[in-house]
């Protein structure tokens, strides 16, 4: 699977905005997914509506259209091709700025998966010697150590079965 590159800071062409707003809701949502897949940012798509839509709304439409993908629906748009955003670099010369995260070692992964369910039950009013409190502290220590070793927050969150934001808060506190 090739990663999607968004054309940040670009606006949809005026003719695409007009066309998008003229479509019925179900076709509009499918068109939004095609625009997103082409590389248009969620912000640019959301700002193209008379009543601006948030990125989260547009994202939910993209997910919904992906789940109910009808292959014949794409043929509806043959007369109106999807505009392609202009990327700052070509695909040949593009290199990710952020280095790849090293993978979590198997013993650390097992430890995270063992501690995470118990740490999730921890509440601040619990005794510091309770099993959830100890598990919470051990998980935090382990995750901070791995983060210092350049393991990404996304990888840690997936291993623990929590959101990116929850892991970010655990590491940054």
């Amino acid at each position: 699977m090739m990663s999607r590159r968004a054309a940040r800071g670009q606006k949809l062409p005026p003719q695409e905005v007009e066309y998008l707003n003229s479509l019925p809701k179900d076709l509009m949502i499918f068109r939004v997914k095609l625009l997103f897949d082409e590389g248009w940012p969620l912000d640019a798509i959301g700002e193209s509506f008379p009543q601006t839509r948030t990125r989260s709304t547009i994202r939910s439409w993209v997910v919904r259209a992906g789940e109910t993908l009808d292959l014949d629906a794409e043929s509806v748009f043959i007369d109106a091709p999807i505009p392609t955003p202009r990327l700052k670099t070509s695909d040949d010369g593009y290199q990710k700025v952020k280095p790849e995260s090293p993978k979590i070692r198997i013993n650390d992964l097992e430890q995270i998966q063992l501690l995470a369910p118990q740490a999730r039950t921890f509440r601040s009013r619990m005794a510091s010697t309770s099993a959830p409190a100890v598990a919470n502290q051990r998980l935090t220590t382990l995750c901070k150590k791995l983060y210092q070793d350049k393991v990404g927050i996304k990888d840690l969150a997936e291993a623990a079965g929590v959101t990116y934001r929850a892991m970010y808060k655990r590491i940054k506190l």
Side-chain angles (χ1 to χ4, degrees):
M1 180 179 116
M2 193 173 123
S3 65
R4 179 185 169 279
R5 290 178 57 201
R8 294 193 174 128
Q10 292 187 42
K11 305 281 186 212
L12 284 174
Q15 56 274 39
E16 178 62 27
V17 171
E18 186 178 323
Y19 181 69
L20 190 61
N21 285 303
S22 70
L23 294 172
K25 178 104 177 170
D26 55 338
L27 287 178
M28 179 207 44
I29 289 174
F30 187 72
R31 181 74 174 197
V32 164
K33 179 182 179 353
L34 295 176
L35 288 167
F36 178 78
D37 290 344
E38 190 64 32
W40 290 101
L42 296 171
D43 282 337
I45 298 169
E47 291 170 1
S48 67
F49 296 102
Q51 180 183 353
T52 302
R53 310 288 189 191
T54 62
R55 288 180 35 204
S56 60
T57 299
I58 302 301
R59 179 80 177 137
S60 71
W61 290 354
V62 168
V63 169
R64 184 181 343 154
E67 291 170 352
T68 61
L69 183 64
D70 182 8
L71 297 177
D72 294 336
E74 195 166 349
S75 63
V76 172
F77 300 119
I78 288 178
D79 60 332
I82 304 293
T84 304
R86 199 171 16 93
L87 300 172
K88 290 183 180 178
T89 59
S90 67
D91 285 336
D92 314 352
Y94 178 72
Q95 289 182 331
K96 279 181 109 170
V97 175
K98 186 177 178 184
E100 289 292 320
S101 167
K103 298 300 174 204
I104 301 172
R105 292 185 305 272
I106 191 72
N107 58 340
D108 289 335
L109 179 64
E110 289 170 352
Q111 190 71 18
I112 290 172
Q113 291 173 341
L114 178 72
L115 292 171
Q118 204 168 20
R120 230 173 309 208
T121 64
F122 171 72
R123 301 293 177 263
S124 61
R125 65 183 175 276
M126 291 181 170
S128 61
T129 56
S130 67
V134 172
N136 185 58
Q137 185 56 47
R138 288 178 60 202
L139 180 63
T140 300
T141 303
L142 176 60
C143 289
K144 282 183 176 182
K145 178 190 161 296
L146 289 171
Y147 182 70
Q148 288 173 347
D149 293 341
K150 305 292 186 227
V151 174
I153 294 175
K154 179 182 174 196
D155 294 333
L156 293 170
E158 286 175 3
V162 298
T163 63
Y164 179 96
R165 185 71 186 153
M167 185 56 69
Y168 176 84
K169 288 172 83 174
R170 178 178 295 277
I171 289 172
K172 298 297 181 177
L173 292 178

